[in-house]
Amino acid sequence: DAGVIQSPRHEVTEMGQEVTLRCKPISGHDYLFWYRQTMMRGLELLIYFNNNVPIDDSGMPEDRFSAKMPNASFSTLKIQPSEPRDSAVYFCASIRGGTDTQYFGPGTRLTVL
Amino acid sequence: DAKTTQPPSMDCAEGRAANLPCNHSTISGNEYVYWYRQIHSQGPQYIIHGLKNNETNEMASLIITEDRKSSTLILPHATLRDTAVYYCIVKIQGAQKLVFGQGTRLTINP
């Protein structure tokens, strides 16, 4: 299996622009997670899905952030409008329910100028 | 989830055993201890987990004290590729949320 796939790997945008990050979980995994990592706040869980349904979005920082999972093999995290403080590495992870190992993708490094 | 405490950084010589401590004094009876690591510029990687018995796999060993208030992750023969940030996390098995602390930055020196 190719593992969790994220795109793009790097994104540089200007303040106010819309940013869309993409994730393809491992086939057969029914949970998908979005994390954000910064030097100041470390690794934070933003939202997670089970069977394409959002279960816990308490970590989503504000209304500018939204996440969707239209099907079992694809999820997006959108920031609109983006701000410089959104600059971070965003990780996607997936897990098969009933198992113990979350598999993380390589991350998307977002820079908002 | 119970809180964990780890030293911010540690050094170890290549080829020696690296012993990473973790305190989790408020752990509940149904909470497991999980270890993940994050090599620079990569996503976190699962290492091992356990409830109360010592565990060993191809990557590491996990020693949990009898009172379960602390544990130690052991990398038996550390290599340069083991340089990473190591996270100790406690959670109920089956609960999906991982709450990451600051971890221990382990540096393996040649």
Side-chain angles (χ1 to χ4, degrees):
Chain A
D1 199 313
V4 176
I5 299 172
Q6 293 188 245
S7 65
R9 292 295 309 278
H10 302 273
E11 177 80 29
V12 180
T13 190
E14 293 189 344
M15 183 174 61
Q17 296 298 306
E18 178 179 295
V19 175
T20 299
L21 311 181
R22 297 173 176 80
C23 175
K24 176 179 169 56
I26 293 173
S27 177
H29 285 193
D30 51 348
Y31 285 85
L32 182 140
F33 305 79
W34 283 100
Y35 293 85
R36 177 175 67 175
Q37 187 170 36
T38 62
M39 288 292 292
M40 291 294 295
R41 300 177 66 90
L43 197 58
E44 306 173 278
L45 176 65
L46 299 178
I47 185 172
Y48 77 93
F49 296 82
N50 177 220
N51 292 323
N52 314 335
V53 176
I55 301 301
D56 185 345
D57 64 354
S58 59
M60 295 286 265
E62 50 197 272
D63 292 345
R64 297 184 298 107
F65 285 69
S66 62
K68 294 183 180 179
M69 192 164 185
N71 57 62
S73 59
F74 183 67
S75 177
T76 59
L77 178 67
K78 185 176 295 185
I79 308 172
Q80 167 63 18
S82 59
E83 297 183 2
R85 60 190 168 126
D86 301 330
S87 297
V89 180
Y90 290 82
F91 290 102
C92 177
S94 69
I95 186 172
R96 186 192 313 271
T99 64
D100 293 295
T101 305
Q102 276 194 27
Y103 293 87
F104 284 75
T108 295
R109 181 173 295 277
L110 173 65
T111 302
V112 183
L113 303 175
Chain B
D1 292 323
K3 184 176 179 179
T4 63
T5 304
Q6 300 178 252
S9 63
M10 293 182 63
D11 286 87
C12 180
E14 187 178 19
R16 305 296 292 270
N19 297 284
L20 292 92
C22 179
N23 287 321
H24 31 79
S25 58
T26 60
I27 192 170
S28 300
N30 60 349
E31 288 182 314
Y32 285 66
V33 180
Y34 289 76
W35 284 83
Y36 279 74
R37 74 178 181 183
Q38 186 175 22
I39 295 171
H40 182 62
S41 297
Q42 297 182 22
Q45 174 191 26
Y46 166 84
I47 301 172
I48 198 168
H49 76 283
L51 180 63
K52 55 182 178 180
N53 298 320
N54 298 339
E55 302 288 343
T56 296
N57 62 20
E58 65 279 4
M59 293 183 67
S61 294
L62 174 60
I63 309 298
I64 303 173
T65 58
E66 191 169 344
D67 64 8
R68 302 209 323 121
K69 293 184 177 182
S70 65
S71 60
T72 301
L73 179 74
I74 301 172
L75 309 177
H77 304 285
T79 71
L80 298 179
R81 290 174 294 180
D82 292 321
T83 292
V85 178
Y86 287 77
Y87 297 98
C88 171
I89 300 166
V90 293
K91 74 174 186 74
I92 298 170
Q93 190 178 41
Q96 298 303 332
K97 290 180 69 169
L98 290 176
V99 179
F100 289 84
Q102 294 303 307
T104 295
R105 183 173 298 277
L106 175 67
T107 303
I108 306 301
N109 300 306

